[in-house]
């Protein structure tokens, strides 16, 4: 096999890793800081994709589709946090699982009511619909590189906010001592609303970037939710750095595994998680609680 | 005390933790820039009193006023933004944030816009923190954590600092250092409510003293009155 074949798989793996990171980073923040197990997190990947598809259909412009869908999704996240999630902060994990499972059912029913059970797609706009020649015989789609580039920028932006801004410091502090945040005059409820809504936007943004490639369809979020749980467990709950590293590991392993060992590719991902958890039960960058 | 000079007024509060009646009819007053020392054996309600004032364990009955406005039942973060600060017994240092981040994450001017403290002033008061500014909170010694916890609340510019177990688990030399720092803070006009077992460190600093026993105030008065009440010291503090 040519070297370019491996390069293509590597690029695909990195792209999948970036997408998993976008989804899992929001999930790990919500779980690690707010203590909320949001089973419906993957559904917002689907909601983001459908919203972007809907606005793109209305405006006939993918860029506008994404730019308008993002604040819409933030608003949806904000309302869901206020109307549903905020009642779970002092409840046990069973209540959280029941309520967020209910959210999955509601969101998937709404999706069918509004858009039906068909697949919907759009054409990737020019100049993102072309390919780059890696060799004389091997090309790579520009749109996939675009996804990786945008996800990389988003990941850098997140790193900057979390590590270098006062908001990021408060978010990190919230994962270790919420009561102290309140004592210092920080509105924890407001912080939770922001974290939850941004987490939803990140998951939805991943769906928005992917839908021109894969179309939107019922059940598109099912596999991604399981993979996201693997990412945050492997990386360590609450750790953005851990989510990034494990998303990349899983993205690349899943892609190469799917090509070379298709029968056991899923086993490879879960096997890696099991091995890491045997060595570090708290995940790569997690802390014992 | 003239009502205008009163910074904090606690009126007949009763606080419960679950079914347990912890504070029983507690009342106190604290003037601007004054220091109050709260004493008592373990489990007598000292920490609960501080938590009631800051809103973490709100009283079921009674009222708390700060600068003349009632703060009973307000959320802790709202009370804190009015200029009250609490340094808890465990110091509340965020272990995953550096010393520098612990300091600046909550810094803000006072409700009246006062900005007496900046990082430079803080490092002058606590020179050890300059060398440790890149270290994580969990890499500090107990004494350093205590200094950091005091420095952090100073950057929120409070008018009143509540300090729980101010010198708990500190070596005698560090206890003296903490007392010296708090004296400087008092001299800057900040009122203090100090809970501590080592009363000798605070005899000069405290304007008023309270002894709590089983959730009730059994002694209230200045140093002279305290020293003239050996019965109070012996029976309630074991001194």
């Amino acid at each position: 096999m040519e070297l370019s074949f491996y390069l293509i798989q590597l690029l695909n793996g990195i792209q999948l890793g970036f997408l998993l990171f976008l989804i899992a980073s929001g999930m790990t923040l919500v779980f690690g800081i707010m203590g909320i197990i949001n089973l419906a997190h993957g559904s917002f990947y689907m909601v983001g994709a459908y919203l972007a598809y809907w606005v793109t259909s209305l405006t006939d412009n993918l860029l506008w589709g994404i730019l308008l869908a993002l604040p819409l999704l933030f608003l949806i996240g904000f309302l869901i946090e206020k109307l549903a999630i905020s009642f779970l902060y002092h409840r046990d994990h069973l209540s959280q699982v029941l309520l967020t499972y209910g959210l999955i059912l509601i969101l998937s029913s709404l999706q069918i009511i509004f858009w039906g059970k068909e697949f919907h797609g759009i054409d990737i706009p020019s100049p993102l619909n072309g390919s780059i020649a890696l060799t004389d015989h091997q090309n790579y789609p520009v749109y996939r590189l675009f996804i990786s580039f945008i996800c990389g920028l988003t990941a850098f932006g997140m790193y900057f906010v979390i590590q270098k801004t006062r908001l990021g410091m408060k978010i990190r502090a919230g994962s270790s001592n919420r009561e102290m945040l309140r004592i210092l005059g920080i509105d924890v409820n407001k912080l939770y609303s922001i974290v939850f809504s941004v987490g939803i936007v990140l998951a939805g943004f991943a769906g928005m970037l992917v839908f021109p490639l894969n179309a939107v369809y019922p059940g598109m979020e099912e596999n991604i939710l399981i993979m996201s749980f693997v990412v945050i467990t492997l990386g360590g709950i609450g750790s953005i750095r851990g989510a990034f590293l494990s998303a990349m590991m899983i993205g690349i392993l899943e892609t190469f595994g799917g090509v070379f060992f298709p029968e056991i590719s899923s086993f490879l991902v879960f096997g890696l998680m099991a091995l890491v958890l045997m060595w570090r039960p708290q995940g790569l960058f997690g802390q014992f609680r | 005390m003239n009502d205008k000079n009163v910074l904090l007024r606690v009126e007949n509060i009763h606080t419960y933790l679950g079914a347990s009646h912890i504070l029983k009819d507690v009342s106190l007053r604290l003037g601007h820039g004054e220091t109050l020392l709260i004493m008592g054996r373990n489990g007598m309600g000292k920490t609960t009193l501080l938590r009631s004032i800051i809103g973490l364990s709100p009283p079921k009955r009674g009222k708390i006023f700060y600068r003349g406005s009632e703060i009973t039942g307000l959320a802790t973060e709202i009370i804190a933004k009015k200029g009250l600060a609490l340094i808890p017994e465990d110091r509340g240092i965020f272990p995953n944030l550096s010393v520098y981040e612990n300091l600046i994450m909550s810094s803000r001017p006072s409700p009246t816009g006062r900005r007496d403290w900046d990082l430079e002033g803080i490092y002058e008061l606590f020179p050890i923190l300059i060398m440790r500014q890149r270290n994580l909170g969990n890499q500090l010694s107990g004494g350093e954590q205590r200094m950091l916890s005091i420095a952090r609340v100073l950057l929120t510019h409070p008018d009143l600092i509540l300090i729980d177990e101010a010198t708990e688990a500190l070596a005698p030399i560090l206890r003296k250092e903490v007392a010296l720092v708090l004296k400087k803070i008092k001299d800057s006009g900040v009122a203090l409510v100090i809970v501590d077992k080592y009363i000798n460190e605070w005899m000069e600093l405290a304007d008023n003293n309270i002894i709590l026993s089983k959730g009730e105030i059994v002694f209230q008065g200045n140093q002279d009155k305290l020293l003239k009440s050996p019965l109070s010291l012996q029976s309630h503090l074991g001194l």
Side-chain angles (χ1 to χ4, degrees), chain B residues 89-116:
Chain B
E89 185 181 352
D90 68 1
R91 300 159 193 124
I93 298 302
F94 299 113
N96 52 342
L97 264 59
S98 70
V99 166
Y100 171 76
E101 290 173 332
N102 265 287
L103 284 172
I104 65 157
M105 61 158 301
S106 56
S107 67
R108 61 173 178 270
S110 75
T112 53
R114 187 167 49 81
R115 261 196 190 277
D116 302 334

Side-chain angles (χ1 to χ4, degrees), chain A residues 227-240:
Chain A
M227 297 285 273
S228 303
F229 269 116
V230 175
V231 167
I232 67 167
T233 309
L234 185 61
I237 288 166
S239 167
I240 290 289

